[in-house]
Amino acid sequence: MAGLFLFLALVYLPPATPTAAESATNPAVTGCISEPATPVKIRHVIDGDTVILSDDTRTRLIGIDTPELGRDGRADEPLARAARERLEILLRQASQIRLRSDQEARDHYGRTLGHLYADGRNIQAALLKAGLATPLTIPPNLQHLECYQTASAAARSQQRGLWALPPYQPVASSQLTGRERGYRLVYGEVTRIGRSKSAIWINFGDNFALRIVREDLPYFAGIDFADWIGRTLTAQGVVEFRNNQSRMRIRHPANIKPAT
């Protein structure tokens, strides 16, 4: 039990105090260092987390997810246009824009991946602090994990943007109806740890489970999942409904913490 909470505490430690040079280039959000990064020009902003560069490269911003704009007759998700407009403003006001790569150059859709900076300011962290994005932790692209978690926590603590909306409030796993979709904060008591050929399953009662696929298990090294049984935890991520059960894929320990 002590090992679990020590591990989670270490995961959520804030970034180290930045140097004076780092603070000068990134006064708004410390801890997301922009160097080395490649100068780029933006041709078009598609939505809050995707842009097209001047060479027509479609680029997905690492570490965040913003609400979807409506397409094919569907309505916009709440604050989708606000997220896109904020990104447009941040980029329009910048004299220099840079893009920094991470461990993977492209995602499975073929889009370039990167951390974006406007005059040294980390764009992802700015959107998270405004409450216009939620953290999206996808290993191995974890260069700014702590910075993005800290920025999101600041917005959530002050109920900014998305965090003021009902779907983004923490919900007990026992209260899930099966109709929930998209990003959620779900808390509950761990009642069972299951194992299959492809994944570890962490059950909160009968109607909700966290799924950790085996390829992501190296990021959970040192954790004894059996220690979680009987503990109340909060998980953040995308909820889906399959096989008469709500479930959430968890790819990194940063997305699980003790319930508060």
Side-chain angles (χ1 to χ4, degrees), residues 47-49 60-68 78-80 82-84 86-87 123-136 148-149 151-156 160-163 168 183 236:
D47 55 26
D49 55 39
R60 178 66 163 81
L61 306 191
I62 294 172
I64 67 170
D65 193 33
T66 59
E68 296 292 330
L79 298 185
R84 182 175 68 180
R86 180 65 62 90
L87 178 55
I123 292 296
Q124 280 98 313
L127 291 169
L128 287 165
K129 284 195 74 173
L132 295 175
T134 53
L136 181 65
Y148 294 163
Q149 290 285 333
S152 179
R156 183 184 166 200
R160 296 187 200 131
L162 294 167
W163 302 110
Y168 292 85
Y183 190 91
Q236 58 181 18

Side-chain angles (χ1 to χ4, degrees), residues 61-111:
L61 306 191
I62 294 172
I64 67 170
D65 193 33
T66 59
E68 296 292 330
L69 291 166
R71 293 182 177 86
D72 300 324
R74 294 192 300 271
D76 295 343
E77 292 182 352
L79 298 185
R81 292 189 181 274
R84 182 175 68 180
E85 289 168 6
R86 180 65 62 90
L87 178 55
E88 288 174 335
I89 290 171
L90 290 169
L91 296 175
R92 189 184 311 128
Q93 294 176 342
S95 59
Q96 185 179 67
I97 299 170
R98 289 179 175 267
L99 187 71
R100 182 183 184 184
S101 61
D102 208 308
Q103 296 300 307
E104 294 177 328
R106 295 180 181 277
D107 65 10
H108 60 282
Y109 296 109
R111 299 174 297 189

Side-chain angles (χ1 to χ4, degrees), residues 68-260:
E68 296 292 330
L69 291 166
R71 293 182 177 86
D72 300 324
R74 294 192 300 271
D76 295 343
E77 292 182 352
L79 298 185
R81 292 189 181 274
R84 182 175 68 180
E85 289 168 6
R86 180 65 62 90
L87 178 55
E88 288 174 335
I89 290 171
L90 290 169
L91 296 175
R92 189 184 311 128
Q93 294 176 342
S95 59
Q96 185 179 67
I97 299 170
R98 289 179 175 267
L99 187 71
R100 182 183 184 184
S101 61
D102 208 308
Q103 296 300 307
E104 294 177 328
R106 295 180 181 277
D107 65 10
H108 60 282
Y109 296 109
R111 299 174 297 189
T112 296
L113 298 171
H115 303 275
L116 197 62
Y117 299 83
D119 293 336
R121 183 184 190 186
N122 183 281
I123 292 296
Q124 280 98 313
L127 291 169
L128 287 165
K129 284 195 74 173
L132 295 175
T134 53
L136 181 65
T137 306
I138 301 181
N141 300 311
L142 305 173
Q143 284 182 1
H144 294 328
L145 171 63
E146 291 85 2
C147 176
Y148 294 163
Q149 290 285 333
T150 299
S152 179
R156 183 184 166 200
S157 68
Q158 297 192 18
Q159 295 285 286
R160 296 187 200 131
L162 294 167
W163 302 110
L165 303 178
Y168 292 85
Q169 305 311 305
V171 59
S173 60
S174 59
Q175 300 300 311
L176 295 175
T177 65
R179 295 189 296 271
E180 294 82 6
R181 301 291 186 276
Y183 190 91
R184 292 289 190 277
L185 293 170
V186 181
Y187 64 90
E189 179 181 331
V190 177
T191 57
R192 180 177 176 273
I193 305 295
R195 289 171 171 80
S196 66
K197 290 183 179 180
S198 61
I200 302 294
W201 297 87
I202 299 146
N203 291 87
F204 293 10
D206 295 327
N207 67 328
F208 180 73
L210 306 179
R211 177 173 172 258
I212 303 173
V213 302
R214 294 196 175 273
E215 68 186 62
D216 291 328
L217 284 177
Y219 299 101
F220 295 81
I223 295 179
D224 184 352
F225 294 110
D227 286 344
W228 291 12
I229 295 177
R231 301 295 158 192
T232 299
L233 304 178
T234 297
Q236 58 181 18
V238 176
V239 171
E240 60 180 357
F241 189 78
R242 289 188 180 181
N243 299 326
N244 296 316
Q245 183 185 61
S246 294
R247 58 180 62 175
M248 178 189 295
R249 182 177 178 182
I250 296 292
R251 304 200 61 177
H252 193 277
N255 292 332
I256 309 174
K257 64 179 181 178
T260 56

